[in-house]
Amino acid sequence: MAAVTRVPSVILGLCSYTHDSSAALLVDGKLIGFVEEERLSQQKHTKEYPRHAVEWLLSEAGLSAADVNAIAYNFQPAHYLAESPAALRLALSATTRDRALPRARGFAKVAMRTQLRTRALGRRFPTARVSPVLHHRAHQLAAFAASGWDESAVLVVDSLGERQTTTIARGLDALHPSTRTLEAINDPASLGYVYGAVTEHLGWRRGDEEGTVMALAALGDPERFRPLFAAAVRTTPTGFFLDPAYFPPRVLTSGYPRTSRRFVDETCSERHPSEPLLNVHRDLAAALQERTEQVMLHMARRARMITGSRRLCVGGGVATNCVSIGRIIEAGIFDEVFVPPAPGDAGTAIGAAIAVHTQSRSRRPVSGVARACYLGPSYQYQALDLTPWPGLQQKTLGVETAEFLADQLAHGMIVGLFQGRVEAGPRALGNRSILASPLEPGVVERLNATVKFREPFRPFAPVVLAERAAEFFTLGQEAPYMSMASGVTDKARERVPAIVHANGTSRLQTVTRSQNPFMHEVLSAFARRTGVPVLINTSLNVKGKPICGTPAMALDCLVDSGLDALLLEGRWITK
C-alpha cells in the first residue's frame, strides 16, 4: 500500500497595497524565503501586489497557488473602524474640530478598502483562507522571532497600524513564538507621524528619506527648537501624546497637512527640495532627532519596567532610527537590544505568517527566521549575458576571490558586490553592497557625488570583523544588521575618520565568519594588507532606486554610476 503524502501547511505572508510590498512563505513552520517586491520589480517602496516575490517563493518551494492553505495579511480591517467614533471626540476642541469628521470618514473608508483588499487576495488564492493579522502583532512577531530568544520585551514604534502607533509586549518561546501586548498607544500620538511630517516639511519624501533628516540632525543645534518639541511631543508616565496645535490629528485622505500654521510660524516655511539648506533646517532636524531619542528612551524604560525583561526587541519603522537604538543600548536599560533586519512594514509579512502558523496550533516549531537575513533569491549558478551592456567586460575569478577583492579595495577602487541571496531590509548587509576603503582620501565625497548621487552630508556605514569591533567601536554588543549607531574609539578617529559622522557615531555592522563567510574573508584579507579590519559598506543602488535584487539591476547600477567594478557571483565586471 502506497504511503499517504501529508499535505503541508503552506502559509503565505503578505505586505501589500500600502507601501514596501513583500512576501514570505512558511511551509510546516519553516521559512522558505522572504523578499521585498522592489528588489525584483525595480519600483522603490512599491505598494503593488508582490507578484514577483510570490512567484519566486512558490517556485522555490515547488508549489503552486492552489497549494497555499492560508494568506496572512498584515492589517485587520475591523480595527480601523473603532477609530471612527473615537475621532468624533475631536469636535469637542476648537483646535481639532475641523478634523473630526474627515478623520472619522477616513478611518471608515480605509477599513472598507482593507476589507476589499483581503477579498481580492482570496480571489487570487481560492483554496486559501485569508487571515488578517493585527499590524503591531505582525511587527512584534517579526522582531521577536528573528531574535531567536526565549523571552524578551518587544517595543514597536511606527507611524500607524490600524489605530496603534506604539506597543509594548512580552515575547515568549523561540520555537513557538508568541507575544502578548501589555500596553498600547493609539493615534494621534505617533512618533512616526511626527518624524514623517518634519521630513516632508524639510523637503524630503516622507516614508523614504527620514534617514536623510537623521543624518542632517548631526549638523544642527537642537537648542533652538528644543522647547517647541518638548511642548509638541509630551511624555507621560506611561507614554507620550502630541499637541494638536503643532501636529494636527491625522486624516487618512490627502489634502490635510501634518504640520500646523503655528508650527510653520515658530519654525520656518516649508522647504522646496531645490532650495538650499539653511541653519534653521539643520537646527529643526537636530531638535526633532533629539526629541525622538528622548521618547524612544522613555518607551524603552517603560518596557523594562512593565515586562521585567533584560532583553529588548525593537520593531516598526522608527526602529530604523539607528541613533535612537544606539542611545537605548548606551543607557544600559537592557543587557542586549535586538533589531531585526527588516523592522519596517515589509518585515510584517514574516510576522503575519508566524501569527497564522501559531494560531493554527501546529506543533511544528518556527524555523529559518532566527538570526536570518539572507532570505531572497540567489542567482549563483545563472549564466550571464552582457549583450545588453556592450561597454562591459568580464573575467571569472578563481578561489582567491576574497584576496583579489581586498587588494582592489586597498588600492582605492569602489566596488559593487552581488553574491548569494538577497538581504531582507533596508541596509547593505554584505550580499548587495558597495564597498570602499575608509583609508582612501576623499572617499566619502566621491561616493556621495559620483556613485550614490546623494547629499554631501550623508555618512557611510562601516562593516567590521566582529572579533575586532571593540578596537574601533564602543557599542559593546554585536550589530549584525547595521541598525545601531555606536560611539567610536580614539583609534577609529585616528585611523578611519571617514566612517565617523559629525555626531561622533557610526552606524555599525559587525560580521562573524558564520554570518557571512565571504565578507569575513574580505575583511580579514583587507586587514592583512592595511592593518584595519574595517570597510565602508553601503547598499548596491543609487539614490531613489531600490537595492539591486537581480543581476540586471546590478549591471545597470555599474553602468549608470561611478562604480569602478562589480563583483557578481565570482565574475569581475568592469567598464
Side-chain angles (χ1 to χ4, degrees):
M1 184 176 169
V4 177
T5 305
R6 191 178 59 80
V7 178
S9 167
V10 180
I11 301 168
L12 181 64
L14 293 178
C15 171
S16 184
Y17 307 125
T18 52
H19 59 87
D20 296 307
S21 289
S22 66
L25 187 67
L26 280 186
V27 177
D28 286 334
K30 181 183 179 183
L31 183 65
I32 301 300
F34 160 84
V35 68
E36 287 134 292
E37 181 70 3
E38 65 169 26
R39 308 289 158 90
L40 307 177
S41 73
Q42 305 191 40
Q43 302 300 313
K44 193 172 186 185
H45 298 306
T46 183
K47 65 179 183 179
E48 298 298 317
Y49 169 75
R51 178 175 62 84
H52 298 87
V54 171
E55 286 174 0
W56 169 71
L57 284 165
L58 293 175
S59 169
E60 188 78 357
L63 300 171
S64 71
D67 296 312
V68 177
N69 306 131
I71 301 295
Y73 187 55
N74 65 334
F75 287 99
Q76 277 192 348
H79 279 261
Y80 284 103
L81 272 179
E83 187 55 39
S84 287
L88 297 177
R89 290 198 303 264
L90 299 175
L92 301 174
S93 165
T95 310
T96 56
R97 190 170 295 146
D98 64 329
R99 297 226 169 179
L101 274 173
R103 180 175 165 93
R105 278 197 300 264
F107 273 84
K109 187 176 177 181
V110 170
M112 288 186 287
R113 191 187 302 154
T114 307
Q115 183 64 39
L116 290 173
R117 287 166 175 167
T118 61
R119 287 179 189 162
L121 291 173
R123 287 193 293 274
R124 286 181 183 271
F125 298 89
T127 59
R129 182 184 77 257
V130 180
S131 298
V133 175
L134 195 66
H135 190 68
H136 269 235
R137 182 152 186 258
H139 270 306
Q140 290 165 2
L141 285 166
F144 178 66
S147 74
W149 293 336
D150 269 322
E151 185 277 334
S152 82
V154 185
L155 172 64
V156 173
V157 187
D158 66 0
S159 180
L160 182 69
E162 295 100 10
R163 301 177 73 196
Q164 296 174 332
T165 68
T166 310
T167 52
I168 296 171
R170 187 156 181 251
L172 290 171
D173 196 344
L175 295 180
H176 301 89
S178 68
T179 58
R180 186 165 67 91
T181 300
L182 303 176
E183 286 185 352
I185 297 172
N186 286 348
D187 199 67
S190 169
L191 206 52
Y193 179 80
V194 169
Y195 215 103
V198 180
T199 295
E200 207 165 46
H201 191 78
L202 288 170
W204 285 289
R205 288 188 302 276
R206 171 169 52 84
D208 181 29
E209 298 185 292
E210 282 83 351
T212 303
V213 175
M214 183 175 66
L216 180 67
L219 307 181
D221 182 356
E223 187 176 356
R224 183 174 182 176
F225 297 116
R226 185 176 288 143
L228 184 151
F229 279 99
V233 187
R234 302 187 203 179
T235 56
T236 68
T238 59
F240 65 95
F241 68 96
L242 305 187
D243 185 339
Y246 292 101
F247 296 101
R250 180 195 321 256
V251 175
L252 295 177
T253 48
S254 58
Y256 290 86
R258 293 181 168 221
T259 52
S260 68
R261 183 75 250 166
R262 179 175 174 181
F263 179 86
V264 173
D265 290 343
E266 294 184 21
T267 57
C268 59
S269 57
E270 195 169 324
R271 172 183 167 267
H272 188 272
S274 64
E275 292 175 349
L277 279 170
L278 306 176
N279 283 337
V280 68
H281 303 131
R282 297 181 185 94
D283 293 347
L284 187 60
L288 167 71
Q289 178 61 30
E290 180 184 77
R291 192 60 178 152
T292 300
E293 292 165 26
Q294 290 167 350
V295 175
M296 287 292 281
L297 270 168
H298 178 60
M299 295 314 302
R301 289 193 174 98
R302 182 70 186 163
R304 172 81 180 92
M305 183 186 299
I306 66 172
T307 63
S309 300
R310 296 299 312 171
R311 288 167 158 173
L312 174 70
C313 296
V314 192
V318 183
T320 60
N321 191 295
C322 61
V323 181
S324 292
I325 302 300
R327 294 276 183 261
I328 293 170
I329 294 168
E330 282 174 0
I333 305 164
F334 294 90
D335 294 342
E336 195 173 353
V337 176
F338 177 84
V339 179
D345 275 14
T348 59
I350 298 174
I354 293 170
V356 172
H357 175 75
T358 55
Q359 280 165 3
S360 73
R361 308 226 177 260
S362 168
R363 294 184 179 183
R364 291 184 175 270
V366 169
S367 63
V369 179
R371 305 288 165 158
C373 68
Y374 306 116
L375 297 169
S378 168
Y379 302 85
Q380 206 163 351
Y381 304 108
Q382 195 176 89
L384 188 64
D385 177 14
L386 292 182
T387 308
W389 301 272
L392 298 183
Q393 300 172 317
Q394 66 167 316
K395 67 174 179 179
T396 303
L397 301 178
V399 290
E400 297 296 313
T401 303
E403 294 287 345
F404 177 84
L405 176 56
D407 201 55
Q408 302 306 308
L409 294 168
H411 284 91
M413 290 191 85
I414 296 176
V415 181
L417 175 62
F418 185 107
Q419 61 149 358
R421 296 183 74 165
V422 178
E423 297 104 332
R427 314 292 196 209
L429 302 177
N431 279 12
R432 302 291 185 274
S433 289
I434 292 172
L435 302 175
S437 167
L439 307 171
E440 196 65 19
V443 66
V444 170
E445 291 77 13
R446 186 182 159 204
L447 276 165
N448 272 326
T450 70
V451 179
K452 298 286 281 189
F453 306 115
R454 62 184 204 178
E455 297 81 2
F457 58 82
R458 296 275 296 275
F460 286 96
V463 58
V464 61
L465 289 172
E467 59 267 31
R468 293 188 61 185
E471 294 175 37
F472 298 88
F473 306 101
T474 61
L475 192 68
Q477 69 162 71
E478 287 193 354
Y481 307 131
M482 207 186 276
S483 49
M484 301 152 180
S486 171
V488 299
T489 64
D490 290 340
K491 185 174 183 178
R493 288 191 186 88
E494 181 188 324
R495 298 295 307 278
V496 284
I499 54 88
V500 184
H501 192 34
N503 60 5
T505 70
S506 294
R507 190 183 74 204
L508 174 65
Q509 183 190 9
T510 58
V511 176
T512 62
R513 192 183 302 278
S514 60
Q515 177 190 334
N516 192 321
F518 184 74
M519 272 303 302
H520 191 274
E521 206 179 330
V522 172
L523 285 163
S524 300
F526 186 78
R528 285 194 293 275
R529 286 161 174 76
T530 65
V532 173
V534 180
L535 285 167
I536 287 173
N537 179 19
T538 186
S539 52
L540 184 59
N541 67 326
V542 297
K543 186 183 176 186
K545 298 274 189 182
I547 294 174
C548 298
T550 67
M553 291 168 73
L555 291 163
D556 283 342
C557 186
L558 173 62
V559 169
D560 296 337
S561 75
L563 280 176
D564 294 316
L566 172 68
L567 178 58
L568 193 158
E569 297 298 0
R571 304 174 184 94
W572 185 251
I573 303 170
T574 52
K575 298 181 226 186

